């Protein structure tokens, strides 16, 4: 068992990473609580009122990116803000927009799938003593997959005319899409279960396999990095080529060989910066100006709180679907296609 002195040393050496792991764990627990609350909400209507009524947590809409993508199209083209899943649109717009300045901070700090991937990779290291590297040629073949998936969803939404898009948001299917998502996990089986098992096994061997090659949501957020406002820069004069930065990178980027980390996969987790043994060799920069290593996460969470607070104050957070409408929709959810 590690001593108290060891933990103090780790906290002093890697305060951002310790904080990141703590935030990931706390946010994962929060989302599990949201899931439980949402399940209780569903069961109240499924049992026709035999179980106590629990308020539906609006945060669950963060798991509806397709609905949010359609809602974003409607909002940008007509000015009409989605009233069915407003929290979903707020979260989606913020996470994608934040990617322009703060890279994929969402992925490295609060994404539950990203957290699960890192936990599975840690388990893999415990079992096999290491995570394995994917050959460069195979990496090149796998990388386009998430962008092709993203392109598919974007084209699907773009080709919708505004009337079709608005109609989709108001359809019963969209209204109960969160319920259908819940039931998919509650009744997990068939292809979905096999797919998750395969991803789990791959993630044991290859760190962050889902995030690196298959996640279209992360791919969309990562496009903000094209502007290169925020990036890690390496001082080649003081670099000792110890490769510690590359070894700790969750996205398996070869940090020690580049002057600037401009990859769309960089999640600004700051692992490389804290792992570097030489002061000021690796730095986070904003518009080429060096900033404190806490700048990205602190800015992300401050903006996150501000955006959600404004959404709640202005009435852009809770759905307009009434209790009586839920009472009609949920018992028929399996018949809504």
């Amino acid at each position: 068992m590690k001593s108290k002195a060891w933990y103090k040393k780790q906290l002093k050496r890697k305060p951002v990473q310790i904080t990141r792991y703590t935030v990931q764990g706390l946010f994962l627990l929060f989302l599990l609580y949201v899931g439980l609350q949402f399940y209780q909400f569903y069961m109240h209507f499924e049992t026709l009122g035999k179980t106590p009524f629990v308020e539906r947590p609006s945060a669950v809409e963060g798991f509806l990116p397709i609905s949010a993508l359609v809602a974003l199209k409607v909002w940008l083209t007509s000015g009409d803000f989605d009233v069915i899943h407003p929290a979903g649109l707020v979260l989606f717009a913020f996470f994608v927009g934040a990617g322009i300045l703060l890279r994929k901070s969402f992925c490295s700090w609060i994404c539950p799938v990203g957290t699960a991937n890192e936990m599975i990779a840690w388990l893999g290291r415990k079992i096999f003593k290491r995570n394995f590297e994917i050959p460069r040629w195979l990496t090149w073949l796998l990388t386009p997959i998430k962008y092709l998936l993203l392109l598919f969803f974007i084209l699907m939404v773009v080709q919708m005319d505004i009337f079709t898009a608005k109609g989709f948001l108001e359809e019963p299917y969209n209204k109960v899409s969160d319920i259908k998502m819940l039931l998919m996990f509650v009744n997990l089986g068939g292809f979905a279960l096999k797919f998750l098992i395969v991803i789990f096994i791959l993630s044991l061997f290859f760190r962050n396999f889902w995030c690196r090659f298959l996640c279209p949501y992360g791919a969309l957020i990562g496009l903000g990095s094209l502007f290169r406002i925020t990036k890690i820069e390496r001082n080649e004069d003081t670099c000792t080529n110890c490769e510690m930065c590359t070894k700790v990178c969750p996205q398996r980027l070869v940090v020690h060989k580049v002057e600037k980390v401009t990859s769309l996969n960089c999640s600004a987790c700051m692992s490389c910066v804290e792992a570097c043994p030489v002061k000021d060799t690796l730095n986070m920069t904003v518009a080429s100006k060096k900033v404190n290593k806490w700048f990205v996460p602190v800015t992300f969470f401050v903006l996150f709180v501000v955006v959600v607070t404004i959404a709640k104050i202005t009435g852009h957070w809770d759905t307009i679907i009434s209790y009586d409408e839920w009472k009609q929709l949920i018992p028929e959810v399996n018949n809504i296609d």
Side-chain angles (χ1 to χ4, degrees):
M1 185 175 179
K2 300 290 193 302
S3 65
K4 184 183 294 186
W6 183 87
Y7 285 108
K8 287 183 177 179
K9 184 179 179 181
Q10 291 298 106
L11 183 59
K12 186 176 181 179
R13 287 181 58 242
K14 302 185 292 184
V16 175
Q17 293 314 298
I18 300 299
T19 302
R20 186 169 76 88
Y21 297 146
T22 302
V23 171
Q24 283 181 320
L26 291 174
F27 208 81
L28 187 58
L29 290 175
F30 167 72
L31 291 178
L32 289 174
Y33 168 74
V34 167
L36 175 62
Q37 190 177 13
F38 186 51
Y39 180 73
Q40 293 174 319
F41 164 82
Y42 160 73
M43 287 303 297
H44 172 76
F45 295 99
E46 175 63 20
T47 60
L48 304 179
K50 292 181 181 178
T51 59
F53 173 72
V54 175
E55 287 286 346
R56 173 182 175 274
S58 296
V60 76
E61 295 175 10
F63 292 91
L64 303 174
I66 304 301
S67 175
L69 185 59
V70 177
L72 182 63
K73 172 190 173 73
V74 171
W75 184 35
L76 294 178
T77 55
S78 71
D80 295 335
F81 202 92
D82 183 22
V83 293
I84 303 300
H85 297 306
L89 175 54
V90 170
L91 293 172
F92 183 82
F94 172 70
F95 293 146
V96 174
I100 297 174
L101 174 63
L102 306 171
R103 305 186 76 89
K104 294 169 62 177
S105 299
F106 163 75
C107 302
S108 61
W109 283 83
I110 62 176
C111 175
V113 181
T115 299
N117 263 249
E118 291 200 40
M119 292 171 66
I120 295 170
W122 174 85
L123 179 61
R125 290 193 294 276
K126 290 296 181 181
I127 297 173
F128 307 112
K129 305 304 179 184
R130 68 188 180 102
N131 294 130
F132 297 86
E133 294 298 330
I134 297 176
R136 184 175 294 273
W137 65 268
L138 186 54
T139 299
W140 280 100
L141 289 177
L142 293 173
T143 297
I145 295 177
K146 62 183 178 183
Y147 295 106
L148 291 174
L149 289 171
L150 174 62
L151 181 63
F152 168 77
F153 290 121
I154 289 179
L155 289 178
M156 180 179 68
V157 173
V158 167
Q159 71 179 1
M160 283 185 180
D161 59 70
I162 188 63
F163 300 106
T164 302
K166 286 185 176 182
F168 169 80
L169 295 179
E170 296 172 359
E171 284 181 357
Y173 181 86
N174 183 52
K175 290 181 178 180
V176 298
S177 57
D178 49 359
I179 302 293
K180 285 187 171 291
M181 176 195 63
L182 171 68
L183 295 178
M184 180 186 75
F185 284 102
V186 170
N187 304 311
L188 195 61
F191 174 78
L193 179 59
K194 293 175 183 177
F195 180 78
L196 288 178
I197 292 174
V198 170
I199 295 300
F200 176 82
I201 294 173
L202 288 171
S203 299
L204 277 176
F205 289 95
F206 309 111
R207 193 173 182 181
N208 284 22
F209 186 88
W210 168 264
C211 303
R212 292 165 61 195
F213 303 117
L214 299 175
C215 181
Y217 199 170
L220 178 58
I221 296 173
L223 291 180
S225 300
L226 287 171
F227 295 93
R228 300 186 178 183
I229 297 175
T230 307
K231 55 186 172 291
I232 301 291
E233 295 192 13
R234 182 175 68 93
N235 186 335
E236 295 180 280
D237 294 330
T238 58
C239 179
T240 63
N241 289 309
C242 67
E243 301 186 22
M244 285 303 299
C245 51
T246 296
K247 291 176 182 176
V248 300
C249 178
Q251 304 302 322
R252 313 315 301 140
L253 302 178
V254 187
V255 181
H256 74 282
K257 288 187 177 181
V258 297
E259 182 181 345
K260 298 177 181 180
V261 180
T262 57
S263 171
L264 303 187
N265 280 336
C266 175
S267 60
C269 67
M270 307 305 293
S271 296
C272 60
V273 173
E274 289 199 315
C276 183
V278 182
K279 186 178 180 181
D280 285 335
T281 294
L282 285 177
N283 288 292
M284 173 59 73
T285 64
V286 178
S288 298
K289 301 293 183 181
K290 186 178 79 171
V291 296
N292 187 279
K293 62 183 180 180
W294 289 97
F295 174 83
V296 168
V298 169
T299 302
F300 176 80
F301 282 106
V302 168
L303 292 176
F304 182 47
V305 171
V306 169
V307 168
V308 172
T309 301
I310 292 175
K312 290 184 176 182
I313 292 174
T314 58
H316 293 89
W317 188 253
D318 297 317
T319 182
I320 65 165
I321 301 176
S322 66
Y323 179 95
D324 290 335
E325 190 170 3
W326 283 124
K327 194 175 180 180
Q328 294 177 352
L329 287 170
I330 292 180
E332 296 296 321
V333 67
N334 291 321
N335 299 320
I336 299 175
D337 295 316

